[in-house]
Amino acid sequence: MTHQSGQRTVTLVPILLIMLSFVPVVAGAVRLTELTGGAAITPENARFFAAPLPVMLHIVGASTYCVLGAFQFVPGFRRRRPGWHRAAGRLLIVCGLLAALTGLWMTLFSPLPAGDDGLLSGFRILFGTAMAACILLGLAAIRRRDITRHRAWMIRGYAIGQGAGTQALIHLPAALVIGTPDGLTRTLLLGAAWVINLAVAEWIIRS
């Protein structure tokens, strides 16, 4: 690979990650507008109005985490602007933990629609806890000046945080092939998205 093609690949990374975030960020913005704009309460959105604060914090935290976090994957930018990297990193730790912890709160304490309990709730608890743990382990590593482990843990945490983007990505072809997934099929597809992201993260870490 030439130097120029390598540079193009590096430049494409944040663009692709932001594109992956597009559907969940837009959906979150619509939900946020609904909650703050006095939309009519329907059977479909009533559970969000029942406890709007964690929903809004989750949307803001997750959206910021996914979009801003994409720029942490540009090595040249980190080298040229180390102060920006550190400042953004502090904000990302807050946003990532906010997204993970509010996601756990909603899974454990909010009313869930039919089909979202059971195995799917287990997946959300597992990966939400893993995301928070990865971020905290990454923070502990950088406080020890262990940059290699800091990078690895933060990549894993970001991969889990991007789960909603990958879920939207794999649901489209699934819907075209088998129709709108539901039941166990939907649950397994949602879980597969997190597994795929973590597999890609491990590949990046090791390469």
Side-chain angles (χ1 to χ4, degrees):
M1 181 182 290
T2 65
H3 176 70
Q4 285 188 339
S5 62
Q7 284 293 102
R8 283 196 297 270
T9 301
V10 169
T11 304
L12 275 174
V13 169
I15 295 173
L16 293 174
L17 290 173
I18 291 171
M19 288 174 63
L20 185 63
S21 308
F22 179 77
V23 171
V25 167
V26 170
V30 171
R31 182 71 68 197
L32 200 59
T33 301
E34 184 180 62
L35 290 171
T36 57
I41 299 177
T42 67
E44 289 73 26
N45 66 19
R47 64 193 181 95
F48 300 112
F49 281 94
L53 182 59
V55 178
M56 292 189 289
L57 291 175
H58 182 77
I59 292 168
V60 172
S63 298
T64 305
Y65 185 70
C66 290
V67 174
L68 183 61
F71 294 96
Q72 300 291 67
F73 288 85
V74 185
F77 193 60
R78 293 199 307 267
R79 287 193 297 268
R80 289 192 301 271
R81 296 181 179 274
W84 185 92
H85 174 71
R86 287 191 293 271
R90 294 186 186 100
L91 178 58
L92 287 168
I93 287 170
V94 174
C95 289
L97 289 174
L98 188 63
L101 295 176
T102 52
L104 287 170
W105 193 96
M106 289 187 290
T107 300
L108 292 169
F109 302 113
S110 290
L112 298 175
D116 276 23
D117 52 0
L119 182 59
L120 182 53
S121 288
F123 281 159
R124 286 173 172 160
I125 292 169
L126 172 65
F127 289 107
T129 302
M131 179 179 170
C134 287
I135 293 170
L136 291 174
L137 287 167
L139 175 61
I142 199 60
R143 290 175 68 87
R144 299 193 307 268
R145 307 297 186 201
D146 188 341
I147 294 174
T148 300
R149 284 190 173 84
H150 166 73
R151 177 177 178 271
W153 285 118
M154 287 306 189
I155 288 173
R156 292 179 183 117
Y158 184 79
I160 297 172
Q162 278 282 16
T166 305
Q167 288 165 355
L169 188 65
I170 65 178
H171 261 62
L172 177 59
L176 293 175
V177 174
I178 63 173
T180 302
D182 58 7
L184 182 61
T185 301
R186 172 176 172 266
T187 295
L188 293 177
L189 285 173
L190 292 173
W194 283 303
V195 174
I196 290 168
N197 283 11
L198 281 173
V200 173
E202 293 302 323
W203 176 77
I204 292 171
I205 291 165
R206 283 160 174 71
S207 62

